[in-house]
Amino acid sequence: MSVRRSSVAALLASQELDREVLVKGWVRTRRGNKFVQFIAVNDGSTIHSIQVVANAETFPEEKLKAEGVENGAAVAIRGTLVASQGKGQTVEIQATDIEVYGAADTTTYPLQKKGHTLEFLREIAHLRPRTNTFGAVLRLRHALAFAVHQYFNDNGFFYVHTPIITGSDAEGAGQMFRVTTLPEQNPPLNEAGQVDYGQDFFGKATNLTVSGQLEGEIAAMALGKVYTFGPTFRAENSNTARHLAEFWMIEPEMAFYDLQDNMDLAEDFLKYLVRYALEKCQDDLKFLTEHYDKELLTRLQFVVDNDFQRLTYTEAVDILKSAKQKFEFPVDWGTDLQSEHERYLVEKHFKKPVILTNYPKDIKAFYMKLDEDGRTVRAMDVLFPGIGEIIGGSQREENLEKLQQRMQEMHVPEEDLWWYLDLRRFGSAPHAGFGLGFERLVLFVTGMANIRDVIPFPRFPRSAEF
Ligand code: ATP
Ligand code: MN
C-alpha cells in the first residue's frame, strides 16, 4: 500500500492520528537503549524534528547502526502517527520501516554534535543549512523575500529587472568589480598604454552593478511605481559585520513622490516586513530568541508598534555635539556620520528607529535633489538598532540644469549618463526612491550578529569558496 509523503511540518500540525505516514528527511540525533530507539528526523520544513520511535524487537540498535541510521543520514520512515507519550512533542511516529538513502560516516561527518561556533560553521557553508540556526535563518530569509514581493504587489508596484552587468558607474563610486573577457596576458592596449576596453566584449568597460537605481528611475518614469530586487556588488574592502561584497538590494522608485512620501513608504514597508516575520515565522523567531538574542522578539514588536523618529542631519549633529558620550570620530557639520554616531542616536538618545534627512550635499550622491538653501540635499537614511543604516534613499533631482551642475561639481561625466539626463529632458517629474539592503534586514529580523551568517554563501574579501 502506498502512503503519500508528508512534511514534518504537516505531521506536527496534524490532528489526524493513528494513520500510516511516510516522511523523508535527515537524522538529527539517534539515542535510546536496548528496548527502544528514538530518531529525530528533520526535513527542513520546520525548525522542529519529528520523533521516530523504533522498537528494539524490529530495530535493534546494532541493526540501525549497521544500516547507517546515524546523525546526518538521509532516511525514509514509514510508520504510524500517534500521540506522543513523552515530553517535548505532541505526536511521534511508531516506525514500521526505515530506509537509508545516504549514510553519513559518524567519524567524518562534521555536524556530529551540537554547539559549533558560527565561525566554524562558516567554513562548512555546504553543511551549515542543516543546523537549526541556519534552517531558521534561511526560512526567515525566504519569508522576508516573499513579503517584499507581496507588499509591492499589493500596493501597485511593478517588479523590474535591472541589469547586473552595467556600463555605468551608478554613484561615481570606484569600488566595482570589472567584467571582462579580454585575455589576461597581453590585453590590447590603447595609445596611452592602458587596457583598451573598446576591444572588450561589450565594446566598453563594464562592471557588476552596485545599484539598480538609475535604471529603476527609467522604469518609474513610465510605470509610476516600480521596484528592483536583485544582487549588487561592491569591491570595497570593508571587513565588517555589516558589509558583504555581494548582497541583495531592494530598490523602490516612485514617480510623483517627494521626500515625505518616500519616508512614509520606507517606514510602512519595514513595519510590514517585520510584522510578516512575526506572524509567519514564530517558531524560528522563538528559537533564535532563545539561543542568540533574548531581546529579539521584544525589539521586533517595538519596531512594529512605534513611530520612527524623524529629524534632519543638522538636528542630529547638534544632539551628537552636546552628547555626554565620547566618540572615536569627532562630529562636525559636514562630516559623514560614523556608525558609532548612528547607533548613539538610535540606541541611546531616541531608543527607536530614526530617519535622518537633509544631509550636506557634499557627502551624498550627485542625483539627490538640492534643498532651497543650496547646502543640503533631500536624502534620507533609516537607522536601526544594532544595525545602523538599513536604508539609504532620497528625492531625486528632476531639474536638468541643477543635475548637470551637480554632476560637474562631482566630476560625473555627462556623456556616460546621457540617457539619465534625457529623463530630465523629456517629461521630467518629481520622484524618489530608496535602497534597502536585504541582508541588513535579515540581520535585524534574525538577531544574528554577523551579516555573513544571514546569506547562504557570503562573499567578502578573500572568501569565495562555496
Ligand atoms: P554603508 O554606509 O553602511 O556602507 P552605504 O551608504 O554605502 O552603506 P547605500 O549605497 O546607501 O549604502 O546602499 C543602500 C543600502 O544597501 C544600505 O542602506 C545598506 O542597507 C545596504 N548596503 C550597502 N552596502 C552594503 C554592503 N557592502 N553589504 C550589505 N549591505 C549593504
Ligand atoms: Mn547610504
PDB file of all heavy atoms in Angstrom, residues 1 3-4 11 18-23 52-53 59 76-82 92-98:
ATOM      1  N   MET A   1       0.852  -1.202   0.000  1.00  0.00           N
ATOM      2  CA  MET A   1       0.000   0.000   0.000  1.00  0.00           C
ATOM      3  C   MET A   1       0.878   1.239   0.000  1.00  0.00           C
ATOM      4  O   MET A   1       1.852   1.306   0.728  1.00  0.00           O
ATOM      5  CB  MET A   1      -0.881  -0.021   1.249  1.00  0.00           C
ATOM      6  CG  MET A   1      -1.954   1.021   1.226  1.00  0.00           C
ATOM      7  SD  MET A   1      -2.707   1.239   2.878  1.00  0.00           S
ATOM      8  CE  MET A   1      -1.457   2.099   3.754  1.00  0.00           C
ATOM      9  N   VAL A   3       1.606   5.132   0.714  1.00  0.00           N
ATOM     10  CA  VAL A   3       1.165   6.277   1.508  1.00  0.00           C
ATOM     11  C   VAL A   3       1.810   7.508   0.910  1.00  0.00           C
ATOM     12  O   VAL A   3       2.957   7.452   0.481  1.00  0.00           O
ATOM     13  CB  VAL A   3       1.668   6.166   2.971  1.00  0.00           C
ATOM     14  CG1 VAL A   3       0.874   7.072   3.882  1.00  0.00           C
ATOM     15  CG2 VAL A   3       1.645   4.742   3.431  1.00  0.00           C
ATOM     16  N   ARG A   4       1.109   8.609   0.890  1.00  0.00           N
ATOM     17  CA  ARG A   4       1.724   9.845   0.378  1.00  0.00           C
ATOM     18  C   ARG A   4       2.669  10.420   1.417  1.00  0.00           C
ATOM     19  O   ARG A   4       2.418  10.374   2.605  1.00  0.00           O
ATOM     20  CB  ARG A   4       0.650  10.862   0.014  1.00  0.00           C
ATOM     21  CG  ARG A   4       0.058  10.579  -1.352  1.00  0.00           C
ATOM     22  CD  ARG A   4      -0.907  11.653  -1.770  1.00  0.00           C
ATOM     23  NE  ARG A   4      -0.301  12.981  -1.776  1.00  0.00           N
ATOM     24  CZ  ARG A   4      -1.002  14.093  -1.902  1.00  0.00           C
ATOM     25  NH1 ARG A   4      -2.319  14.039  -1.976  1.00  0.00           N
ATOM     26  NH2 ARG A   4      -0.397  15.252  -1.933  1.00  0.00           N
ATOM     27  N   LEU A  11       3.003  16.962   9.592  1.00  0.00           N
ATOM     28  CA  LEU A  11       2.723  15.918  10.582  1.00  0.00           C
ATOM     29  C   LEU A  11       2.615  16.507  11.987  1.00  0.00           C
ATOM     30  O   LEU A  11       1.733  16.133  12.764  1.00  0.00           O
ATOM     31  CB  LEU A  11       3.812  14.846  10.551  1.00  0.00           C
ATOM     32  CG  LEU A  11       3.857  13.995   9.276  1.00  0.00           C
ATOM     33  CD1 LEU A  11       4.960  12.948   9.380  1.00  0.00           C
ATOM     34  CD2 LEU A  11       2.509  13.320   9.011  1.00  0.00           C
ATOM     35  N   ASP A  18      -3.166   8.006  14.473  1.00  0.00           N
ATOM     36  CA  ASP A  18      -3.330   6.583  14.221  1.00  0.00           C
ATOM     37  C   ASP A  18      -3.539   6.257  12.750  1.00  0.00           C
ATOM     38  O   ASP A  18      -4.431   5.492  12.375  1.00  0.00           O
ATOM     39  CB  ASP A  18      -4.499   6.028  15.065  1.00  0.00           C
ATOM     40  CG  ASP A  18      -4.286   6.334  16.542  1.00  0.00           C
ATOM     41  OD1 ASP A  18      -3.172   6.079  17.032  1.00  0.00           O
ATOM     42  OD2 ASP A  18      -5.220   6.865  17.176  1.00  0.00           O
ATOM     43  N   ARG A  19      -2.708   6.883  11.921  1.00  0.00           N
ATOM     44  CA  ARG A  19      -2.744   6.585  10.485  1.00  0.00           C
ATOM     45  C   ARG A  19      -1.327   6.348  10.001  1.00  0.00           C
ATOM     46  O   ARG A  19      -0.350   6.759  10.630  1.00  0.00           O
ATOM     47  CB  ARG A  19      -3.376   7.746   9.709  1.00  0.00           C
ATOM     48  CG  ARG A  19      -2.595   9.026   9.841  1.00  0.00           C
ATOM     49  CD  ARG A  19      -3.262  10.179   9.086  1.00  0.00           C
ATOM     50  NE  ARG A  19      -2.689  11.454   9.471  1.00  0.00           N
ATOM     51  CZ  ARG A  19      -1.922  12.200   8.669  1.00  0.00           C
ATOM     52  NH1 ARG A  19      -1.652  11.818   7.439  1.00  0.00           N
ATOM     53  NH2 ARG A  19      -1.429  13.354   9.090  1.00  0.00           N
ATOM     54  N   GLU A  20      -1.260   5.669   8.866  1.00  0.00           N
ATOM     55  CA  GLU A  20       0.043   5.368   8.266  1.00  0.00           C
ATOM     56  C   GLU A  20       0.617   6.636   7.656  1.00  0.00           C
ATOM     57  O   GLU A  20      -0.107   7.392   6.985  1.00  0.00           O
ATOM     58  CB  GLU A  20      -0.115   4.319   7.145  1.00  0.00           C
ATOM     59  CG  GLU A  20      -0.463   2.942   7.654  1.00  0.00           C
ATOM     60  CD  GLU A  20       0.508   2.463   8.724  1.00  0.00           C
ATOM     61  OE1 GLU A  20       1.717   2.379   8.429  1.00  0.00           O
ATOM     62  OE2 GLU A  20       0.048   2.206   9.865  1.00  0.00           O
ATOM     63  N   VAL A  21       1.891   6.886   7.923  1.00  0.00           N
ATOM     64  CA  VAL A  21       2.527   8.068   7.323  1.00  0.00           C
ATOM     65  C   VAL A  21       3.896   7.689   6.760  1.00  0.00           C
ATOM     66  O   VAL A  21       4.477   6.663   7.119  1.00  0.00           O
ATOM     67  CB  VAL A  21       2.693   9.216   8.350  1.00  0.00           C
ATOM     68  CG1 VAL A  21       1.348   9.753   8.795  1.00  0.00           C
ATOM     69  CG2 VAL A  21       3.536   8.777   9.539  1.00  0.00           C
ATOM     70  N   LEU A  22       4.378   8.555   5.863  1.00  0.00           N
ATOM     71  CA  LEU A  22       5.707   8.409   5.294  1.00  0.00           C
ATOM     72  C   LEU A  22       6.377   9.774   5.365  1.00  0.00           C
ATOM     73  O   LEU A  22       5.773  10.786   4.986  1.00  0.00           O
ATOM     74  CB  LEU A  22       5.600   7.951   3.830  1.00  0.00           C
ATOM     75  CG  LEU A  22       6.860   8.074   2.970  1.00  0.00           C
ATOM     76  CD1 LEU A  22       7.963   7.153   3.475  1.00  0.00           C
ATOM     77  CD2 LEU A  22       6.530   7.740   1.505  1.00  0.00           C
ATOM     78  N   VAL A  23       7.595   9.800   5.891  1.00  0.00           N
ATOM     79  CA  VAL A  23       8.314  11.072   5.971  1.00  0.00           C
ATOM     80  C   VAL A  23       9.749  10.833   5.527  1.00  0.00           C
ATOM     81  O   VAL A  23      10.302   9.744   5.731  1.00  0.00           O
ATOM     82  CB  VAL A  23       8.225  11.658   7.409  1.00  0.00           C
ATOM     83  CG1 VAL A  23       9.045  10.859   8.401  1.00  0.00           C
ATOM     84  CG2 VAL A  23       8.634  13.122   7.441  1.00  0.00           C
ATOM     85  N   VAL A  52      10.880   9.761  15.908  1.00  0.00           N
ATOM     86  CA  VAL A  52      10.537   8.448  15.395  1.00  0.00           C
ATOM     87  C   VAL A  52      10.907   7.430  16.477  1.00  0.00           C
ATOM     88  O   VAL A  52      12.029   7.435  16.977  1.00  0.00           O
ATOM     89  CB  VAL A  52      11.313   8.146  14.098  1.00  0.00           C
ATOM     90  CG1 VAL A  52      11.057   6.712  13.634  1.00  0.00           C
ATOM     91  CG2 VAL A  52      10.940   9.158  13.017  1.00  0.00           C
ATOM     92  N   VAL A  53       9.934   6.611  16.843  1.00  0.00           N
ATOM     93  CA  VAL A  53      10.187   5.606  17.873  1.00  0.00           C
ATOM     94  C   VAL A  53      10.362   4.252  17.193  1.00  0.00           C
ATOM     95  O   VAL A  53       9.484   3.805  16.458  1.00  0.00           O
ATOM     96  CB  VAL A  53       9.011   5.544  18.880  1.00  0.00           C
ATOM     97  CG1 VAL A  53       9.311   4.544  19.985  1.00  0.00           C
ATOM     98  CG2 VAL A  53       8.743   6.925  19.452  1.00  0.00           C
ATOM     99  N   PHE A  59      13.854  -3.170  15.364  1.00  0.00           N
ATOM    100  CA  PHE A  59      15.024  -2.359  15.016  1.00  0.00           C
ATOM    101  C   PHE A  59      16.042  -2.336  16.155  1.00  0.00           C
ATOM    102  O   PHE A  59      16.190  -1.328  16.849  1.00  0.00           O
ATOM    103  CB  PHE A  59      14.601  -0.908  14.714  1.00  0.00           C
ATOM    104  CG  PHE A  59      13.560  -0.781  13.648  1.00  0.00           C
ATOM    105  CD1 PHE A  59      12.224  -0.537  13.983  1.00  0.00           C
ATOM    106  CD2 PHE A  59      13.908  -0.865  12.307  1.00  0.00           C
ATOM    107  CE1 PHE A  59      11.262  -0.387  12.994  1.00  0.00           C
ATOM    108  CE2 PHE A  59      12.942  -0.714  11.316  1.00  0.00           C
ATOM    109  CZ  PHE A  59      11.604  -0.476  11.663  1.00  0.00           C
ATOM    110  N   ALA A  76      14.104   7.510   4.848  1.00  0.00           N
ATOM    111  CA  ALA A  76      12.658   7.489   4.662  1.00  0.00           C
ATOM    112  C   ALA A  76      12.088   6.647   5.796  1.00  0.00           C
ATOM    113  O   ALA A  76      12.590   5.558   6.071  1.00  0.00           O
ATOM    114  CB  ALA A  76      12.292   6.868   3.324  1.00  0.00           C
ATOM    115  N   ILE A  77      11.078   7.180   6.473  1.00  0.00           N
ATOM    116  CA  ILE A  77      10.489   6.480   7.604  1.00  0.00           C
ATOM    117  C   ILE A  77       9.015   6.225   7.302  1.00  0.00           C
ATOM    118  O   ILE A  77       8.287   7.163   6.975  1.00  0.00           O
ATOM    119  CB  ILE A  77      10.561   7.343   8.896  1.00  0.00           C
ATOM    120  CG1 ILE A  77      11.974   7.884   9.139  1.00  0.00           C
ATOM    121  CG2 ILE A  77       9.965   6.591  10.088  1.00  0.00           C
ATOM    122  CD1 ILE A  77      12.927   6.951   9.820  1.00  0.00           C
ATOM    123  N   ARG A  78       8.624   4.977   7.427  1.00  0.00           N
ATOM    124  CA  ARG A  78       7.200   4.657   7.374  1.00  0.00           C
ATOM    125  C   ARG A  78       6.752   4.244   8.760  1.00  0.00           C
ATOM    126  O   ARG A  78       7.533   3.650   9.500  1.00  0.00           O
ATOM    127  CB  ARG A  78       6.923   3.488   6.426  1.00  0.00           C
ATOM    128  CG  ARG A  78       6.854   3.849   4.996  1.00  0.00           C
ATOM    129  CD  ARG A  78       6.918   2.604   4.114  1.00  0.00           C
ATOM    130  NE  ARG A  78       7.637   2.916   2.903  1.00  0.00           N
ATOM    131  CZ  ARG A  78       7.062   3.509   1.855  1.00  0.00           C
ATOM    132  NH1 ARG A  78       5.772   3.795   1.874  1.00  0.00           N
ATOM    133  NH2 ARG A  78       7.780   3.802   0.793  1.00  0.00           N
ATOM    134  N   GLY A  79       5.520   4.552   9.084  1.00  0.00           N
ATOM    135  CA  GLY A  79       5.046   4.145  10.396  1.00  0.00           C
ATOM    136  C   GLY A  79       3.679   4.716  10.690  1.00  0.00           C
ATOM    137  O   GLY A  79       2.994   5.211   9.790  1.00  0.00           O
ATOM    138  N   THR A  80       3.325   4.656  11.972  1.00  0.00           N
ATOM    139  CA  THR A  80       2.012   5.140  12.398  1.00  0.00           C
ATOM    140  C   THR A  80       2.198   6.428  13.187  1.00  0.00           C
ATOM    141  O   THR A  80       3.035   6.481  14.088  1.00  0.00           O
ATOM    142  CB  THR A  80       1.334   4.088  13.304  1.00  0.00           C
ATOM    143  OG1 THR A  80       1.455   2.815  12.678  1.00  0.00           O
ATOM    144  CG2 THR A  80      -0.138   4.424  13.501  1.00  0.00           C
ATOM    145  N   LEU A  81       1.409   7.426  12.821  1.00  0.00           N
ATOM    146  CA  LEU A  81       1.465   8.689  13.559  1.00  0.00           C
ATOM    147  C   LEU A  81       0.596   8.535  14.805  1.00  0.00           C
ATOM    148  O   LEU A  81      -0.585   8.234  14.716  1.00  0.00           O
ATOM    149  CB  LEU A  81       0.933   9.833  12.684  1.00  0.00           C
ATOM    150  CG  LEU A  81       1.091  11.248  13.264  1.00  0.00           C
ATOM    151  CD1 LEU A  81       2.552  11.666  13.273  1.00  0.00           C
ATOM    152  CD2 LEU A  81       0.256  12.250  12.463  1.00  0.00           C
ATOM    153  N   VAL A  82       1.222   8.707  15.971  1.00  0.00           N
ATOM    154  CA  VAL A  82       0.481   8.506  17.227  1.00  0.00           C
ATOM    155  C   VAL A  82       0.713   9.673  18.178  1.00  0.00           C
ATOM    156  O   VAL A  82       1.658  10.441  18.002  1.00  0.00           O
ATOM    157  CB  VAL A  82       0.929   7.197  17.945  1.00  0.00           C
ATOM    158  CG1 VAL A  82       0.641   5.979  17.076  1.00  0.00           C
ATOM    159  CG2 VAL A  82       2.407   7.272  18.306  1.00  0.00           C
ATOM    160  N   GLU A  92       4.290  11.566  17.460  1.00  0.00           N
ATOM    161  CA  GLU A  92       5.522  10.883  17.044  1.00  0.00           C
ATOM    162  C   GLU A  92       5.152   9.761  16.090  1.00  0.00           C
ATOM    163  O   GLU A  92       3.975   9.453  15.902  1.00  0.00           O
ATOM    164  CB  GLU A  92       6.279  10.347  18.275  1.00  0.00           C
ATOM    165  CG  GLU A  92       5.484   9.319  19.060  1.00  0.00           C
ATOM    166  CD  GLU A  92       6.094   9.003  20.441  1.00  0.00           C
ATOM    167  OE1 GLU A  92       6.837   9.843  20.968  1.00  0.00           O
ATOM    168  OE2 GLU A  92       5.792   7.918  20.967  1.00  0.00           O
ATOM    169  N   ILE A  93       6.177   9.182  15.487  1.00  0.00           N
ATOM    170  CA  ILE A  93       5.927   8.093  14.543  1.00  0.00           C
ATOM    171  C   ILE A  93       6.433   6.786  15.141  1.00  0.00           C
ATOM    172  O   ILE A  93       7.599   6.696  15.542  1.00  0.00           O
ATOM    173  CB  ILE A  93       6.629   8.343  13.192  1.00  0.00           C
ATOM    174  CG1 ILE A  93       6.127   9.641  12.543  1.00  0.00           C
ATOM    175  CG2 ILE A  93       6.412   7.164  12.246  1.00  0.00           C
ATOM    176  CD1 ILE A  93       6.884  10.036  11.282  1.00  0.00           C
ATOM    177  N   GLN A  94       5.547   5.782  15.201  1.00  0.00           N
ATOM    178  CA  GLN A  94       5.969   4.422  15.553  1.00  0.00           C
ATOM    179  C   GLN A  94       6.442   3.773  14.259  1.00  0.00           C
ATOM    180  O   GLN A  94       5.645   3.475  13.376  1.00  0.00           O
ATOM    181  CB  GLN A  94       4.774   3.622  16.106  1.00  0.00           C
ATOM    182  CG  GLN A  94       4.299   4.064  17.476  1.00  0.00           C
ATOM    183  CD  GLN A  94       5.222   3.553  18.580  1.00  0.00           C
ATOM    184  OE1 GLN A  94       6.117   2.739  18.341  1.00  0.00           O
ATOM    185  NE2 GLN A  94       5.007   4.052  19.810  1.00  0.00           N
ATOM    186  N   ALA A  95       7.761   3.578  14.131  1.00  0.00           N
ATOM    187  CA  ALA A  95       8.312   3.145  12.853  1.00  0.00           C
ATOM    188  C   ALA A  95       7.945   1.707  12.519  1.00  0.00           C
ATOM    189  O   ALA A  95       7.957   0.828  13.390  1.00  0.00           O
ATOM    190  CB  ALA A  95       9.825   3.288  12.874  1.00  0.00           C
ATOM    191  N   THR A  96       7.594   1.498  11.238  1.00  0.00           N
ATOM    192  CA  THR A  96       7.436   0.128  10.759  1.00  0.00           C
ATOM    193  C   THR A  96       8.498  -0.196   9.719  1.00  0.00           C
ATOM    194  O   THR A  96       8.801  -1.356   9.465  1.00  0.00           O
ATOM    195  CB  THR A  96       6.037  -0.081  10.140  1.00  0.00           C
ATOM    196  OG1 THR A  96       5.822   0.935   9.153  1.00  0.00           O
ATOM    197  CG2 THR A  96       4.951   0.007  11.191  1.00  0.00           C
ATOM    198  N   ASP A  97       9.060   0.854   9.098  1.00  0.00           N
ATOM    199  CA  ASP A  97      10.071   0.632   8.071  1.00  0.00           C
ATOM    200  C   ASP A  97      11.024   1.822   8.021  1.00  0.00           C
ATOM    201  O   ASP A  97      10.583   2.972   8.051  1.00  0.00           O
ATOM    202  CB  ASP A  97       9.380   0.451   6.709  1.00  0.00           C
ATOM    203  CG  ASP A  97      10.372   0.076   5.638  1.00  0.00           C
ATOM    204  OD1 ASP A  97      11.077  -0.926   5.811  1.00  0.00           O
ATOM    205  OD2 ASP A  97      10.462   0.822   4.639  1.00  0.00           O
ATOM    206  N   ILE A  98      12.304   1.534   7.998  1.00  0.00           N
ATOM    207  CA  ILE A  98      13.305   2.601   7.923  1.00  0.00           C
ATOM    208  C   ILE A  98      14.227   2.317   6.762  1.00  0.00           C
ATOM    209  O   ILE A  98      14.861   1.246   6.713  1.00  0.00           O
ATOM    210  CB  ILE A  98      14.126   2.700   9.233  1.00  0.00           C
ATOM    211  CG1 ILE A  98      13.205   3.018  10.413  1.00  0.00           C
ATOM    212  CG2 ILE A  98      15.216   3.764   9.100  1.00  0.00           C
ATOM    213  CD1 ILE A  98      13.901   3.005  11.765  1.00  0.00           C
TER     214      ILE A  98
END
